[in-house]
Amino acid sequence: MPDPYNGGRWMVHAVSFPSGYDAAVMAGDLDGDGVLGSAEEVWAAIDAGYAVDGGVVASFICPVIPFPRG
């Protein structure tokens, strides 16, 4: 039985920008810093139609490794 404790589950999505990254930034840059720097900003660009989520291309679980007592 797998250990139920872990350090997090991660999924990597492929994202493309059919109209170019600059157009996606214009649509999704919520904090005005000139980049899509958070999941919320990427989703804003996707929702606006300037980015496309190509789906999960990798996933993994980060294990919790016990520190030896000694």
Coordinates of all heavy atoms in Angstrom, one line a residue:
M1 N 0.8 -1.2 0.0 CA 0.0 0.0 0.0 C 0.9 1.3 0.0 O 1.8 1.4 0.8 CB -0.9 0.0 1.2 CG -1.8 1.1 1.3 SD -3.0 0.8 2.6 CE -3.2 2.4 3.3
P2 N 0.6 2.2 -0.9 CA 1.5 3.4 -1.0 C 1.3 4.2 0.3 O 0.2 4.3 0.9 CB 0.9 4.2 -2.2 CG -0.1 3.3 -2.8 CD -0.4 2.2 -1.9
D3 N 2.4 4.9 0.7 CA 2.3 5.8 1.8 C 1.4 7.0 1.5 O 1.5 7.6 0.4 CB 3.8 6.3 2.1 CG 3.9 7.2 3.3 OD1 2.8 7.5 3.9 OD2 5.0 7.4 3.7
P4 N 0.4 7.3 2.3 CA -0.5 8.4 2.0 C 0.0 9.8 2.2 O -0.6 10.7 1.9 CB -1.7 8.1 3.1 CG -1.0 7.5 4.2 CD 0.1 6.6 3.6
Y5 N 1.2 9.9 2.8 CA 1.8 11.2 3.0 C 2.7 11.6 1.8 O 3.5 10.8 1.3 CB 2.6 11.3 4.3 CG 1.7 10.9 5.5 CD1 1.7 9.7 6.0 CD2 0.8 11.9 6.0 CE1 0.9 9.4 7.1 CE2 0.0 11.6 7.1 CZ 0.1 10.3 7.6 OH -0.8 10.0 8.7
N6 N 2.6 12.8 1.4 CA 3.5 13.3 0.3 C 3.7 14.8 0.4 O 3.0 15.4 1.1 CB 3.0 12.8 -1.1 CG 1.6 13.5 -1.4 OD1 1.5 14.7 -1.6 ND2 0.6 12.7 -1.4
G7 N 4.7 15.3 -0.4 CA 5.0 16.7 -0.4 C 4.2 17.5 -1.4 O 4.4 18.7 -1.6
G8 N 3.4 16.8 -2.2 CA 2.6 17.5 -3.2 C 2.4 16.7 -4.4 O 3.3 15.9 -4.8
R9 N 1.4 17.0 -5.1 CA 1.2 16.4 -6.4 C 1.3 17.5 -7.5 O 0.7 18.5 -7.3 CB -0.2 15.7 -6.5 CG -0.3 14.5 -5.7 CD -1.7 13.8 -5.7 NE -1.7 12.6 -5.0 CZ -1.9 12.4 -3.7 NH1 -2.0 13.4 -2.9 NH2 -1.9 11.2 -3.2
W10 N 2.0 17.2 -8.5 CA 2.3 18.2 -9.6 C 1.9 17.7 -10.9 O 2.2 16.5 -11.3 CB 3.8 18.6 -9.5 CG 4.3 19.1 -8.2 CD1 4.6 18.3 -7.1 CD2 4.3 20.4 -7.8 NE1 5.0 19.1 -6.1 CE2 4.8 20.4 -6.4 CE3 4.1 21.6 -8.4 CZ2 5.0 21.6 -5.7 CZ3 4.3 22.8 -7.7 CH2 4.7 22.7 -6.4
M11 N 1.4 18.6 -11.7 CA 1.1 18.3 -13.1 C 1.6 19.4 -14.0 O 1.4 20.6 -13.7 CB -0.4 18.1 -13.4 CG -1.0 16.9 -12.7 SD -2.8 16.6 -13.1 CE -3.6 18.1 -12.5
V12 N 2.3 19.0 -15.1 CA 2.9 20.0 -16.0 C 2.0 20.0 -17.2 O 1.7 19.0 -17.8 CB 4.3 19.6 -16.4 CG1 4.9 20.5 -17.4 CG2 5.2 19.4 -15.2
H13 N 1.5 21.2 -17.6 CA 0.7 21.4 -18.8 C 1.5 22.0 -19.9 O 2.3 22.9 -19.7 CB -0.5 22.3 -18.5 CG -1.5 21.7 -17.6 ND1 -2.8 21.4 -18.0 CD2 -1.5 21.3 -16.3 CE1 -3.5 20.9 -17.1 NE2 -2.7 20.8 -16.0
A14 N 1.3 21.5 -21.1 CA 1.8 22.2 -22.3 C 0.9 23.4 -22.6 O -0.3 23.2 -22.7 CB 1.9 21.3 -23.5
V15 N 1.5 24.6 -22.8 CA 0.7 25.8 -23.1 C 1.3 26.4 -24.4 O 2.5 26.5 -24.5 CB 0.8 26.8 -22.0 CG1 0.0 28.1 -22.3 CG2 0.2 26.2 -20.7
S16 N 0.4 26.7 -25.3 CA 0.8 27.3 -26.6 C 0.1 28.7 -26.7 O -0.9 28.9 -26.1 CB 0.5 26.4 -27.8 OG -0.9 26.2 -27.9
F17 N 0.7 29.5 -27.5 CA 0.2 30.9 -27.7 C 0.0 31.1 -29.2 O 0.9 31.7 -29.9 CB 1.2 31.9 -27.1 CG 1.5 31.6 -25.7 CD1 2.7 30.9 -25.4 CD2 0.7 31.9 -24.7 CE1 3.0 30.7 -24.1 CE2 1.0 31.6 -23.4 CZ 2.2 31.0 -23.0
P18 N -1.2 30.7 -29.8 CA -1.4 30.8 -31.2 C -1.3 32.2 -31.8 O -0.9 32.4 -32.9 CB -2.9 30.3 -31.4 CG -3.2 29.6 -30.1 CD -2.3 30.2 -29.1
S19 N -1.6 33.3 -31.0 CA -1.4 34.6 -31.5 C -0.1 35.3 -31.0 O 0.0 36.5 -31.2 CB -2.6 35.5 -31.0 OG -3.8 34.9 -31.5
G20 N 0.7 34.5 -30.4 CA 2.0 35.0 -29.9 C 1.9 35.3 -28.4 O 0.8 35.5 -27.8
Y21 N 3.0 35.2 -27.8 CA 3.1 35.4 -26.3 C 2.7 36.8 -25.9 O 2.0 37.0 -24.9 CB 4.5 35.1 -25.8 CG 4.7 35.2 -24.3 CD1 4.1 34.3 -23.4 CD2 5.4 36.3 -23.8 CE1 4.2 34.4 -22.1 CE2 5.5 36.4 -22.4 CZ 5.0 35.5 -21.5 OH 5.1 35.6 -20.2
D22 N 3.1 37.8 -26.7 CA 2.8 39.2 -26.4 C 1.3 39.4 -26.3 O 0.8 40.1 -25.4 CB 3.4 40.2 -27.4 CG 4.9 40.2 -27.3 OD1 5.5 39.9 -26.2 OD2 5.6 40.6 -28.3
A23 N 0.5 38.8 -27.2 CA -0.9 38.9 -27.2 C -1.5 38.3 -25.9 O -2.4 38.8 -25.3 CB -1.5 38.3 -28.5
A24 N -0.9 37.1 -25.6 CA -1.4 36.4 -24.4 C -1.1 37.3 -23.1 O -1.9 37.3 -22.2 CB -0.7 35.1 -24.3
V25 N 0.1 37.9 -23.1 CA 0.4 38.8 -22.0 C -0.6 40.0 -21.9 O -1.1 40.3 -20.8 CB 1.9 39.3 -22.0 CG1 2.1 40.4 -21.0 CG2 2.8 38.2 -21.8
M26 N -0.9 40.6 -23.0 CA -1.8 41.7 -23.0 C -3.2 41.2 -22.5 O -3.9 42.0 -21.8 CB -2.0 42.2 -24.5 CG -0.8 42.9 -25.0 SD -0.4 44.5 -24.2 CE -1.8 45.5 -24.8
A27 N -3.6 40.0 -22.7 CA -4.9 39.5 -22.3 C -4.9 39.0 -20.8 O -5.9 39.1 -20.1 CB -5.4 38.4 -23.2
G28 N -3.7 38.5 -20.4 CA -3.7 37.8 -19.1 C -2.9 38.4 -18.0 O -2.9 37.9 -16.8
D29 N -2.1 39.4 -18.3 CA -1.2 40.0 -17.3 C -2.0 40.8 -16.2 O -2.2 42.0 -16.4 CB -0.1 40.9 -18.0 CG 0.9 41.4 -17.0 OD1 1.0 40.9 -15.9 OD2 1.7 42.3 -17.4
L30 N -2.4 40.1 -15.2 CA -3.3 40.7 -14.2 C -2.5 41.7 -13.3 O -3.2 42.7 -12.7 CB -3.9 39.7 -13.3 CG -4.7 38.6 -14.1 CD1 -5.2 37.5 -13.1 CD2 -5.8 39.2 -14.9
D31 N -1.2 41.6 -13.1 CA -0.5 42.5 -12.2 C 0.4 43.5 -12.9 O 1.1 44.3 -12.3 CB 0.3 41.7 -11.2 CG 1.4 40.8 -11.8 OD1 1.6 40.9 -13.0 OD2 2.0 40.1 -11.0
G32 N 0.3 43.5 -14.2 CA 1.0 44.5 -15.0 C 2.5 44.4 -15.0 O 3.2 45.4 -15.3
D33 N 3.1 43.3 -14.8 CA 4.6 43.1 -14.7 C 5.2 42.7 -16.1 O 6.4 42.5 -16.2 CB 5.0 42.2 -13.6 CG 4.6 40.8 -13.8 OD1 3.9 40.4 -14.7 OD2 5.1 39.9 -12.9
G34 N 4.3 42.5 -17.1 CA 4.8 42.2 -18.4 C 5.1 40.7 -18.7 O 5.6 40.4 -19.7
V35 N 4.7 39.8 -17.8 CA 4.8 38.4 -18.0 C 3.6 37.7 -17.4 O 2.9 38.2 -16.6 CB 6.1 37.8 -17.3 CG1 7.4 38.4 -17.9 CG2 6.0 38.0 -15.8
L36 N 3.4 36.4 -17.9 CA 2.4 35.6 -17.3 C 3.1 34.8 -16.2 O 3.7 33.8 -16.5 CB 1.8 34.6 -18.4 CG 1.1 35.3 -19.5 CD1 0.6 34.2 -20.5 CD2 -0.1 36.1 -19.1
G37 N 3.0 35.3 -15.0 CA 3.8 34.8 -13.9 C 3.1 34.0 -12.9 O 3.6 33.7 -11.8
S38 N 1.9 33.6 -13.1 CA 1.1 32.8 -12.2 C 0.1 32.0 -13.0 O -0.2 32.3 -14.1 CB 0.4 33.7 -11.2 OG -0.7 34.4 -11.8
A39 N -0.4 30.9 -12.3 CA -1.4 30.1 -12.9 C -2.7 30.9 -13.2 O -3.3 30.8 -14.3 CB -1.8 29.0 -12.0
E40 N -3.0 31.9 -12.3 CA -4.2 32.7 -12.6 C -4.0 33.6 -13.9 O -5.0 33.7 -14.6 CB -4.4 33.7 -11.4 CG -4.9 33.0 -10.1 CD -3.7 32.3 -9.4 OE1 -2.5 32.6 -9.6 OE2 -4.0 31.4 -8.6
E41 N -2.8 34.1 -14.1 CA -2.6 34.8 -15.3 C -2.7 34.0 -16.6 O -3.2 34.4 -17.6 CB -1.3 35.6 -15.2 CG -1.3 36.7 -14.2 CD 0.0 37.5 -14.1 OE1 1.0 37.0 -14.6 OE2 -0.1 38.6 -13.7
V42 N -2.1 32.8 -16.5 CA -2.2 31.9 -17.6 C -3.6 31.5 -17.9 O -4.1 31.5 -19.1 CB -1.3 30.6 -17.4 CG1 -1.5 29.6 -18.5 CG2 0.2 30.9 -17.3
W43 N -4.4 31.2 -16.9 CA -5.8 30.9 -17.1 C -6.6 32.1 -17.6 O -7.5 31.9 -18.4 CB -6.4 30.4 -15.8 CG -6.1 29.0 -15.5 CD1 -5.3 28.4 -14.5 CD2 -6.5 27.8 -16.3 NE1 -5.2 27.1 -14.7 CE2 -5.9 26.7 -15.7 CE3 -7.3 27.7 -17.5 CZ2 -6.1 25.4 -16.3 CZ3 -7.5 26.4 -18.0 CH2 -6.9 25.3 -17.4
A44 N -6.2 33.3 -17.2 CA -6.9 34.5 -17.8 C -6.6 34.6 -19.3 O -7.5 34.9 -20.1 CB -6.4 35.8 -17.1
A45 N -5.4 34.3 -19.7 CA -5.0 34.3 -21.1 C -5.8 33.2 -21.9 O -6.2 33.4 -23.0 CB -3.5 34.2 -21.3
I46 N -5.9 32.0 -21.3 CA -6.6 30.9 -21.9 C -8.1 31.3 -22.0 O -8.7 31.1 -23.1 CB -6.5 29.6 -21.0 CG1 -5.1 29.1 -21.2 CG2 -7.5 28.6 -21.4 CD1 -4.7 27.9 -20.2
D47 N -8.7 31.8 -20.9 CA -10.1 32.2 -21.0 C -10.4 33.3 -22.0 O -11.5 33.3 -22.6 CB -10.6 32.7 -19.6 CG -10.7 31.6 -18.5 OD1 -10.7 30.4 -18.9 OD2 -10.7 32.0 -17.3
A48 N -9.4 34.2 -22.3 CA -9.5 35.2 -23.3 C -9.3 34.7 -24.7 O -9.5 35.4 -25.7 CB -8.6 36.4 -23.0
G49 N -8.8 33.4 -24.8 CA -8.6 32.8 -26.2 C -7.2 33.1 -26.7 O -6.9 32.8 -27.9
Y50 N -6.3 33.6 -25.9 CA -4.9 33.9 -26.4 C -3.9 32.9 -26.0 O -2.7 33.0 -26.3 CB -4.5 35.3 -26.0 CG -5.3 36.4 -26.7 CD1 -6.4 36.9 -26.1 CD2 -4.9 36.8 -27.9 CE1 -7.1 37.9 -26.8 CE2 -5.6 37.8 -28.6 CZ -6.7 38.3 -28.1 OH -7.4 39.3 -28.7
A51 N -4.3 31.9 -25.2 CA -3.4 30.8 -24.9 C -4.3 29.5 -24.9 O -5.5 29.5 -24.8 CB -2.8 30.9 -23.5
V52 N -3.6 28.4 -25.2 CA -4.3 27.1 -25.3 C -3.6 26.1 -24.4 O -2.4 25.9 -24.4 CB -4.2 26.6 -26.7 CG1 -4.9 25.2 -26.8 CG2 -4.9 27.5 -27.7
D53 N -4.4 25.4 -23.5 CA -3.9 24.4 -22.6 C -3.8 23.1 -23.4 O -4.9 22.5 -23.8 CB -4.8 24.2 -21.4 CG -4.3 23.2 -20.4 OD1 -3.3 22.5 -20.7 OD2 -5.0 23.0 -19.4
G54 N -2.6 22.6 -23.7 CA -2.4 21.3 -24.4 C -2.6 20.1 -23.6 O -2.4 19.0 -24.1
G55 N -2.9 20.2 -22.4 CA -3.1 19.1 -21.5 C -1.9 18.7 -20.7 O -0.8 19.3 -20.8
V56 N -2.0 17.7 -19.9 CA -0.9 17.3 -19.0 C 0.1 16.5 -19.8 O -0.2 15.6 -20.5 CB -1.5 16.4 -17.8 CG1 -0.4 15.9 -17.0 CG2 -2.5 17.2 -17.0
V57 N 1.4 16.9 -19.7 CA 2.4 16.2 -20.4 C 3.4 15.5 -19.4 O 4.2 14.7 -19.8 CB 3.3 17.2 -21.3 CG1 2.4 17.7 -22.4 CG2 3.8 18.3 -20.5
A58 N 3.3 15.8 -18.1 CA 4.0 15.1 -17.1 C 3.4 15.3 -15.7 O 2.7 16.3 -15.5 CB 5.5 15.6 -17.0
S59 N 3.5 14.3 -14.8 CA 3.0 14.5 -13.5 C 3.9 13.7 -12.5 O 4.6 12.7 -12.9 CB 1.6 14.0 -13.4 OG 1.5 12.7 -13.7
F60 N 3.9 14.1 -11.3 CA 4.7 13.4 -10.3 C 4.2 13.7 -8.9 O 3.5 14.7 -8.7 CB 6.2 13.7 -10.4 CG 6.6 15.1 -10.3 CD1 7.0 15.6 -9.0 CD2 6.6 16.0 -11.3 CE1 7.4 16.9 -8.9 CE2 7.0 17.3 -11.2 CZ 7.4 17.8 -9.9
I61 N 4.6 12.9 -8.0 CA 4.3 13.1 -6.5 C 5.7 13.4 -5.8 O 6.6 12.6 -6.0 CB 3.6 11.9 -5.9 CG1 2.3 11.7 -6.5 CG2 3.5 12.1 -4.4 CD1 1.5 10.5 -6.1
C62 N 5.8 14.4 -5.1 CA 7.0 14.8 -4.3 C 6.9 14.1 -3.0 O 6.0 14.3 -2.2 CB 7.1 16.3 -4.2 SG 8.5 16.8 -3.3
P63 N 7.8 13.1 -2.7 CA 7.6 12.4 -1.5 C 8.1 13.2 -0.2 O 8.9 14.1 -0.3 CB 8.6 11.2 -1.7 CG 9.6 11.7 -2.6 CD 8.9 12.7 -3.5
V64 N 7.5 12.8 0.9 CA 8.0 13.3 2.2 C 9.1 12.3 2.6 O 8.8 11.1 2.8 CB 6.9 13.4 3.2 CG1 7.5 13.8 4.6 CG2 5.9 14.5 2.7
I65 N 10.3 12.7 2.8 CA 11.4 11.8 3.2 C 11.7 12.1 4.7 O 12.0 13.2 5.1 CB 12.6 12.0 2.3 CG1 12.3 11.8 0.9 CG2 13.8 11.2 2.8 CD1 13.3 12.2 -0.1
P66 N 11.5 11.1 5.5 CA 11.7 11.3 7.0 C 13.2 11.6 7.3 O 14.1 11.1 6.7 CB 11.3 10.0 7.6 CG 11.0 9.0 6.6 CD 11.1 9.7 5.3
F67 N 13.4 12.5 8.2 CA 14.7 12.9 8.6 C 15.2 11.9 9.7 O 14.5 11.7 10.7 CB 14.7 14.3 9.2 CG 16.1 14.9 9.5 CD1 16.9 15.2 8.4 CD2 16.6 15.0 10.8 CE1 18.2 15.7 8.7 CE2 17.8 15.4 11.0 CZ 18.6 15.9 10.0
P68 N 16.3 11.2 9.5 CA 16.7 10.2 10.5 C 17.0 10.8 11.9 O 17.6 11.9 11.9 CB 18.0 9.6 9.9 CG 18.4 10.5 8.8 CD 17.2 11.4 8.4
R69 N 16.5 10.2 12.9 CA 16.8 10.7 14.2 C 18.1 10.0 14.7 O 18.4 8.9 14.4 CB 15.7 10.3 15.2 CG 14.4 11.0 14.8 CD 13.3 10.6 15.8 NE 12.0 11.3 15.4 CZ 11.0 11.2 16.1 NH1 10.9 10.5 17.2 NH2 9.9 11.8 15.7
G70 N 18.8 10.8 15.4 CA 20.1 10.1 15.8 C 20.8 10.9 16.8 O 21.7 10.9 17.4

